[in-house]
Amino acid sequence: MLTADQYLYSLRQLNFKLYLFGEQVENVVDHPIIRPSLNAVAKTYELAEEARYKDLMTAESSLTGKRINRFTHLHQSTEDLILKVKMQRLLGQKTAACFQRCVGLDACNAVDSVTFEIDKELGTEYHKRFRAFLKRVQEEDLVVDGAMTDPKGDRSLRPFQQADPDMYLHVIERLKDGIVVRGAKAHQTGALSSHEILVMPTVAMGNDDAAYSVCFALPSDTKGIIYVYGRQSCDTRKLEEGSIDVGNCRYGGHECLVIFEDVFVPWERVFMCGEHQFTSTLVERFAGYHRQSYGGCKVGVGDVLIGAAALAADYNGVAKASHIKDKIIEMLHLNETLFACGIACSSQGCPTASGTYLIDLLLANVCKQNVTRFPYEISRLAEDIAGGLMVTLPSEKDFRHPEIGPYLEKYLKGSSSIPTEDRLRILRLIENLTLGAAAVGYRTESMHGAGSPQAQRIMIQRQGNLDHKKKLALVIAGIEKE
Ligand code: SF4
Ligand code: FE
């Protein structure tokens, strides 16, 4: 396994074509806007080195028998699925940001079982290719960007019906030694933190969408792949001096628009090419795993936010007020409910034909549906407790100013035993998590990450087995016999 430093070093060897604020970025690793999100992924390496987190952060590879980072592991049991969620909660607590590495983990587990099933039915060799790829990922301890979401253009039209055929990533040429693809993947979490990009179709495809039914992996700096960095609220604060106004001093997350401009993929890296009948299963499984993930990562970040709100109450001298205590209890209740969902869908998991374990899809979708709501309420309560000062605070530069600084020190003080600076730091952290750069990874990502709410409702309807419930009612009401 790599150390955190070795991971950062490995990223320096990559040659991304990246645009940020209208300019091409040469040094990705040291860019002040990008670096916090690389720090967050580096934490997945750092914690794996610690003996106390060995069971959580590492696993025995089912492919090689060697000790590997759990972020590259194929789940072999419900226990593995539970440990994954606990690992994500831990990382959320340690980074208070999106640590990005889960998308690759979720993509690898989904592609593993689906390629096995394609091969079994059609006699292809996708699974063998994928396992060879994954073995390398495990042995070299790589980060994989699981890339699913296409731009999608007009949502009322199928991929093949779009006015612009590139609105869904597709194969434009089949060659003897590989394929050429064109299109884009949007909102790509951790794209620049990744060594590899694993591309999957974004919706269930039909017969006419065969060219869009494609899954493959490429080194993330392959020629023809272009990255455009996504802006985040308050992102330029990272360019300023000081460490108060950013709220989170070390960690962050990022998303990119990733453009594939006629990119060549050799056959040994192609894991699906035209088998449209398997796309819905792949989408469902990847989405299901990532919806499980949110029952871990968002809970960990929620822990930090609840802690910050409780500290803000302490610093204001209102911690003993009954309504404050009740609000904190409500935040805890909501957060632990999300965790309960993450654990539940894991404990009810079952093996797929490849041996890789899958979560309970209904419960994973219920988990994510709750995540589209509860972090909003947790944020609302945190803002309530923090008070208006959170959004009217002067800047750190004013606080450090020789003339005006002492006034701020005096008038922004809460409880006399607490340094004013500590109070400012906690309020900025709450701002960061609810409105600032980290809100992308906590609040808004809770809504749209791993699929927007309606996507879960469709799955809940599909998995809810209403006929069985009707039958129960018919029997109990004496209309039918058992
Ligand atoms: Fe992992 Fe959560 Fe970020 Fe998804 S949103 S990559 S589950 S930390
Ligand atoms: Fe996400």
Side-chain angles (χ1 to χ4, degrees), residues 166-469:
D166 303 337
M167 297 317 283
Y168 288 78
L169 190 142
H170 60 125
V171 179
I172 56 167
E173 216 182 336
R174 275 176 183 253
L175 304 168
K176 219 175 89 204
D177 50 351
I179 55 175
V180 181
V181 297
R182 185 187 296 163
K185 291 288 175 182
H187 327 297
Q188 283 314 296
T189 294
L192 302 164
S193 318
S194 304
H195 305 96
E196 293 277 339
I197 182 162
L198 175 52
V199 168
M200 298 161 286
T202 195
V203 289
M205 303 284 177
N207 210 0
D208 297 317
D209 302 315
Y212 297 89
S213 309
V214 61
C215 174
F216 60 86
L218 281 174
S220 50
D221 61 346
T222 299
K223 193 168 169 288
I225 305 182
I226 306 163
Y227 296 83
V228 191
Y229 204 83
R231 284 216 72 167
Q232 296 173 340
S233 176
C234 309
D235 51 6
T236 48
R237 289 194 194 181
K238 293 175 191 161
L239 302 173
E240 298 170 8
E241 279 171 30
S243 62
I244 297 179
D245 291 354
V246 284
N248 185 332
C249 317
R250 285 198 60 200
Y251 304 107
H254 77 270
E255 277 79 26
C256 285
L257 176 69
V258 185
I259 299 160
F260 291 76
E261 192 59 43
D262 300 0
V263 183
F264 174 74
V265 190
W267 280 118
E268 65 266 23
R269 282 174 161 274
V270 177
F271 312 130
M272 174 192 282
C273 190
E275 294 80 5
H276 63 89
Q277 63 274 37
F278 292 91
T279 50
S280 66
T281 310
L282 181 52
V283 173
E284 256 175 40
R285 289 187 189 169
F286 170 71
Y289 281 126
H290 211 54
R291 289 168 193 172
Q292 167 210 26
S293 287
Y294 277 42
C297 81
K298 298 294 176 254
V299 180
V301 181
D303 287 329
V304 178
L305 182 54
I306 295 168
L311 284 168
D314 290 347
Y315 294 178
N316 282 346
V318 296
K320 292 207 171 75
S322 63
H323 74 100
I324 296 285
K325 281 193 208 159
D326 197 52
K327 282 165 188 160
I328 303 269
I329 292 167
E330 180 65 8
M331 293 165 90
L332 291 168
H333 161 69
L334 292 170
N335 206 40
E336 296 303 332
T337 304
L338 298 180
F339 187 55
C341 291
I343 295 298
C345 68
S346 306
S347 71
Q348 296 300 298
C350 58
T352 61
S354 78
T356 297
Y357 268 64
L358 182 66
I359 50 333
D360 181 288
L361 283 173
L362 174 59
L363 295 180
N365 279 278
V366 169
C367 176
K368 174 66 215 318
Q369 182 77 182
N370 283 336
V371 173
T372 65
R373 298 170 182 173
F374 296 178
Y376 282 79
E377 182 61 8
I378 293 170
S379 297
R380 191 184 73 81
L381 292 167
E383 288 175 24
D384 179 350
I385 294 170
L389 185 59
M390 180 187 102
V391 286
T392 63
L393 267 182
S395 72
E396 180 171 357
K397 274 192 183 145
D398 294 308
F399 188 67
R400 305 277 182 225
H401 192 274
E403 202 179 317
I404 209 71
Y407 284 114
L408 299 186
E409 176 76 47
K410 175 181 160 77
Y411 288 113
L412 298 183
K413 201 166 190 65
S415 170
S416 62
S417 60
I418 304 296
T420 307
E421 182 173 329
D422 291 4
R423 187 168 180 235
L424 304 196
R425 283 188 182 277
I426 285 298
L427 292 176
R428 285 292 182 213
L429 173 59
I430 298 173
E431 181 199 29
N432 170 267
L433 287 166
T434 55
L435 306 169
V440 182
Y442 184 62
R443 230 181 59 163
T444 310
E445 198 178 42
S446 291
M447 180 66 80
H448 294 293
S452 306
Q454 191 56 24
Q456 290 114 54
R457 300 185 79 79
I458 291 167
M459 280 300 290
I460 290 169
Q461 181 194 28
R462 241 188 251 160
Q463 302 271 330
N465 203 348
L466 205 54
D467 286 341
H468 173 63
K469 291 172 174 57

